[in-house]
């Protein structure tokens, strides 16, 4: 088994630094789902969580209204209704999994011995 010396990775380090500089120069496009923050202050986790909950709630409401429209005969868009129901279901599942991960991380932090 051959192990390369540390000095052999110098070229890779320079390439990674160049890629990091390129990535820092690119500004991401503004998304409508993310909360808008003024100035250089980062958005807190609570605002992201609130935005996610509101988005999931809106998808649930849209799916419910589409389903009601199908049931009452106001709409015949069965495919669109099924897609909106599946989107709402997946969004809710992702939100629950995120909550579970956050709670698990919080439990781990609380159980740490200092």
């Amino acid at each position: 088994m051959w192990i390369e010396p540390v000095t052999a990775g110098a070229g890779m380090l320079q390439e990674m630094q160049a890629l990091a500089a390129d990535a820092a120069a690119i500004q991401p496009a503004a998304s409508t789902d993310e909360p808008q923050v003024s100035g250089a202050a980062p958005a807190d986790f609570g605002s992201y969580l609130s935005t996610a909950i509101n988005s999931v709630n809106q998808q649930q409401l849209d799916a419910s209204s589409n389903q009601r429209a199908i049931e009452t005969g106001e709409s015949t868009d069965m495919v669109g209704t099924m897609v909106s129901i599946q989107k709402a279901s997946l969004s809710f599942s992702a939100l629950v999994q995120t909550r579970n991960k956050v709670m698990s991380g919080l439990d781990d932090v609380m159980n740490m011995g200092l």
Side-chain angles (χ1 to χ4, degrees), residues 1-113:
M1 175 193 275
W2 171 255
I3 299 175
E4 292 185 32
V6 176
T7 57
M12 189 183 327
L13 177 62
Q14 291 173 348
E15 183 179 345
M16 287 178 14
Q17 288 171 339
L19 289 172
D22 291 342
I26 298 172
Q27 295 294 328
S31 172
T32 57
D33 292 340
E34 294 182 6
Q36 299 299 318
V37 181
S38 61
D44 60 327
F45 181 73
S47 65
Y48 283 117
L49 188 61
S50 176
T51 301
I53 291 171
N54 290 336
S55 174
V56 170
N57 184 45
Q58 187 59 49
Q59 288 178 349
Q60 293 282 337
L61 293 173
D62 290 344
S64 178
S65 69
N66 288 347
Q67 187 175 7
R68 191 175 306 113
I70 289 289
E71 291 170 352
T72 59
E74 296 173 12
S75 174
T76 59
D77 186 18
M78 181 66 82
V79 173
T81 300
M82 295 304 293
V83 168
S84 68
I85 290 170
Q86 287 299 315
K87 280 183 179 180
S89 176
L90 286 173
S91 296
F92 184 74
S93 295
L95 184 65
V96 168
Q97 289 299 318
T98 302
R99 182 211 55 185
N100 291 344
K101 288 289 186 181
V102 168
M103 294 307 293
S104 175
L106 183 62
D107 287 342
D108 290 345
V109 168
M110 296 298 284
N111 291 331
M112 281 184 176

